[in-house]
Amino acid sequence: MVDRSFADLSLAALYDILNPWGPGDDFYLGFVMGAGAVLDVGCGTGQLLRRAHDDGHRGRLVGLDPAAAMLVQARRRDSGVEWVLGDLRTRDWGAEFDLVVMNGHAFQVLVHDEELRAALEAVRAALRPGGRFVFETRNPRARAWEAWTPERVREVTGPDGDAVRVWHEVQRPVLGDRVTFTETYDSDTWQRPRVSRTTLRFLGRDTLNRFLHAAGFNVVDQYGDWGRGPLTPAATEIITVAEAAP
């Protein structure tokens, strides 16, 4: 099921405001611009592929997302990208892509072993031999969820000019590698707050790499930040570049 923050049209319209272009997007853009055919899994509003198209990418760009409200935003802004509603089970892409990306921590929504294995197998099948899968997941050792508290309220101005407040609250206690939390949106112009509930999986490096190897990937590089710094215990990210094995 798609989280409300992505399924609600009014909340989807806030996504790019809450998540402006940053160093992570620059990191992915470099890979996209160097690949002929690209599949962006969990593309959201399509910000990455839109930029690639605007910057002169002339190959195939495909954005895949299960949230229709997010693709409404994507389709409003660019006709040079192929937008597909669904997930990795929607189509059978047989070795059509040189690059598959999952940014925005989309990889972490794969919370069960079975769906994680199925997703990795589908990505592997979509890649040509030697094609690359690039994605990031938060390093569990950094314990990012400890900062997701109701006291940390963020306020932005929506497309209609209204101020919207956003905050998070983690369901306690946190057990294992899964973190469940609520994301609450509120505005003085709304009758009531809008609440989205999400569960994310925080895989450690060793477990992550075992899943990748089992699915037919070789890990080429792993970084701890968008500047390609080393993956240390204190690093906030596990940024992975994996290659489809022959």
Side-chain angles (χ1 to χ4, degrees), residues 24-203:
D25 302 289
D26 287 326
F27 177 90
Y28 281 103
L29 184 62
F31 284 94
V32 173
M33 296 305 291
V38 181
L39 174 63
D40 184 352
V41 179
C43 67
T45 61
Q47 185 171 215
L48 175 64
L49 297 187
R50 292 198 316 270
R51 175 69 68 87
H53 182 260
D54 290 346
D55 284 359
H57 191 284
R58 292 297 174 258
R60 185 183 181 196
L61 298 173
V62 181
L64 174 68
D65 201 279
M70 298 293 271
L71 291 185
V72 166
Q73 301 298 317
R75 289 176 174 135
R76 282 176 178 171
R77 306 175 194 181
D78 195 296
S79 59
V81 178
E82 181 182 346
W83 306 112
V84 180
L85 178 63
D87 56 27
L88 284 163
R89 300 167 296 181
T90 301
R91 289 189 187 178
D92 181 16
W93 281 293
E96 295 183 29
F97 298 97
D98 305 298
L99 174 71
V100 175
V101 298
M102 289 182 75
N103 64 352
H105 301 106
F107 187 84
Q108 290 187 253
V109 305
L110 303 169
V111 296
H112 301 294
D113 286 359
E114 303 78 24
E115 64 179 332
L116 179 54
R117 290 191 187 99
L120 289 175
E121 289 171 3
V123 170
R124 174 65 184 82
L127 284 168
R128 295 167 181 151
R132 292 194 165 185
F133 177 35
V134 185
F135 66 97
E136 91 282 350
T137 181
R138 296 177 182 88
N139 185 357
R141 294 190 177 188
R143 303 178 68 84
W145 63 86
E146 292 184 346
W148 300 348
T149 64
E151 295 76 27
R152 298 170 69 97
V153 179
R154 183 177 177 188
E155 183 170 306
V156 297
T157 302
D160 55 6
D162 292 336
V164 179
R165 297 174 295 279
V166 186
W167 65 91
H168 303 84
E169 185 168 7
V170 174
Q171 179 178 302
R172 307 286 181 175
V174 173
L175 302 174
D177 58 13
R178 294 166 179 82
V179 177
T180 299
F181 63 97
T182 55
E183 185 173 34
T184 302
Y185 299 75
D186 196 15
S187 174
D188 293 338
T189 62
W190 298 353
Q191 290 186 341
R192 61 183 65 87
R194 299 167 191 179
V195 181
S196 179
R197 187 174 185 272
T198 303
T199 298
L200 299 178
R201 189 172 187 181
F202 287 73
L203 285 177

